[in-house]
Amino acid sequence: MEIWINPACSKCRSALSLLDAEGADYTVRRYLEDVPSEADIRAVLERLGLEPWDITRTQEADAKELGLKDWARDAGSRDRWIAALSAHPKLIQRPIITAEDGTAVVARSEEAVRDALGRH
């Protein structure tokens, strides 16, 4: 199990606290320092069952500078979104937990963290 976090994010800290309280075995990826490649992002999207725009923080300054709200959300634009997430990791929704069963969750709530813990 891996969790992608930004240590400054309160939801990330809450998720880590819950994982620790449950005695979970996990590794931490500080994705702003250990930036995910486009291949990493594709893999996590597949595990999440989501599209790149589904995990994009569109209110971030970088998103506004890039004009993301005006980008098409279709198969032809998918690579452009993934490239933007890799180039601007701050835009990636957090925390993301990759579960032991090969799936992943965006763990912004206690329920989502518990869901990830229960996936074997």
Side-chain angles (χ1 to χ4, degrees):
M1 181 182 297
E2 182 177 73
I3 181 169
W4 292 11
I5 68 153
N6 172 351
C9 167
S10 63
K11 293 197 183 296
C12 292
R13 292 192 305 271
S14 295
L16 290 173
S17 294
L18 182 54
L19 290 174
D20 288 341
E22 295 294 328
D25 182 22
Y26 64 93
T27 56
V28 170
R29 179 173 189 165
R30 292 177 178 225
Y31 71 93
L32 297 179
E33 298 161 20
D34 181 6
V35 178
S37 67
E38 289 182 30
D40 292 338
I41 293 168
R42 283 184 212 298
V44 91
L45 285 168
E46 188 170 319
R47 292 177 79 154
L48 287 165
L50 297 173
E51 293 296 338
W53 45 85
D54 296 327
I55 65 162
T56 301
R57 297 171 58 86
T58 56
Q59 298 306 309
E60 290 285 336
D62 287 355
K64 291 179 177 159
E65 284 177 32
L66 291 169
L68 287 184
K69 71 179 173 100
D70 298 323
W71 287 18
R73 296 178 182 214
D74 57 29
S77 303
R78 196 167 196 269
D79 289 343
R80 183 181 186 200
W81 282 85
I82 290 169
L85 290 174
S86 184
H88 305 275
K90 222 181 219 179
L91 297 178
I92 300 171
Q93 190 59 265
R94 61 190 183 244
I96 293 175
I97 298 176
T98 57
E100 291 176 22
D101 69 353
T103 63
V105 295
V106 177
R108 295 188 57 75
S109 67
E110 180 177 332
E111 296 77 27
V113 176
R114 291 192 184 284
D115 180 35
L117 281 168
R119 296 181 181 195
H120 294 290

